[in-house]
Amino acid sequence: WLSLPASAAVSSALASKSVRQIKSSIVKLARGTQNGLTADVATAAQIVALSRLLEEANPTPNLATSDLVDGKWSLVYTSTSGGSAGKLGPFVGRVEQHFDISNGGYSNFVHLGPAGLDMVTGELKAAWNVLGDSDWRVNFMSISFSLFGLPKAAESVGDLAPRIHGRRLQGALGIGRREASQPLHPRA
């Protein structure tokens, strides 16, 4: 187990090293869990505990509007099941989120197929309303699917709006919590 010292007087170099170690531990624990879908109880508990340490160490004020959220993120782990975990039917794919803070929107992608050959891609487009420093309400707008890059289906889904409590840390690993979930995304 890794822990961050409670003292505020800890040097920034030591704190930074501890944060890197915690992030590395989360990534290692999440490997082989199919984005968290097959994680055992002990692994899930360790990841949740480590993610809470990262949240406590987060130096970013006003995270919901921070430019640090901007960019491309890849899912490492989530305690949710279904599409947020990259599940499409019986298959589990690679999950990415592309955030565009200046335009107030993002897209969630699920890619099925070997890396570099996306046989099926699902895209959920969304926007958000900022509710607080690190809270926002997601407004899902549309979902679409493509097969080998060719569009196959699309529809509006604007009536779904979960509340997200986010923690993105130093541009490398992020934590977003929906209800009791702990999705983790490293910047790609």
Side-chain angles (χ1 to χ4, degrees):
W1 273 90
L2 297 169
S3 62
L4 292 175
S7 168
V10 175
S11 74
S12 63
L14 179 59
S16 177
K17 182 178 178 185
S18 295
V19 166
R20 283 193 311 274
Q21 288 172 332
I22 293 168
K23 290 177 186 180
S24 177
S25 294
I26 289 170
V27 170
K28 286 177 187 173
L29 284 165
R31 278 195 193 113
T33 67
Q34 290 191 302
N35 302 333
L37 288 168
T38 62
D40 59 48
V41 173
T43 300
Q46 287 179 318
I47 290 172
V48 168
L50 289 169
S51 69
R52 289 197 173 128
L53 290 174
L54 284 179
E55 286 184 47
E56 292 171 11
N58 184 10
T60 308
N62 303 319
L63 189 61
T65 56
S66 172
D67 287 340
L68 293 175
V69 175
D70 230 7
K72 181 178 171 182
W73 299 80
S74 297
L75 181 72
V76 170
Y77 176 87
T78 181
S79 63
T80 64
S81 59
S84 292
K87 193 162 171 46
L88 290 176
F91 305 105
V92 179
R94 296 175 318 282
V95 179
E96 296 176 343
Q97 289 184 319
H98 298 195
F99 283 86
D100 185 347
I101 292 292
S102 64
N103 290 321
Y106 71 94
S107 291
N108 287 331
F109 293 93
V110 176
H111 303 283
L112 296 179
L117 178 63
D118 295 337
M119 295 186 294
V120 176
T121 299
E123 178 184 7
L124 178 64
K125 288 187 178 185
W128 65 85
N129 300 101
V130 174
L131 302 177
D133 290 346
S134 59
D135 292 300
W136 55 91
R137 180 165 313 280
V138 175
N139 303 305
F140 294 128
M141 299 178 337
S142 65
I143 188 166
S144 61
F145 293 93
S146 62
L147 183 62
F148 294 102
L150 301 172
K152 292 297 173 188
E155 70 179 70
S156 176
V157 292
D159 58 337
L160 303 173
R163 182 177 178 151
I164 305 291
H165 177 75
R167 296 282 187 213
R168 301 268 182 216
L169 299 169
Q170 300 175 354
L173 187 70
I175 300 169
R177 184 174 303 135
R178 180 177 68 197
E179 298 166 6
S181 65
Q182 293 280 342
L184 302 178
H185 303 271
R187 188 169 289 231

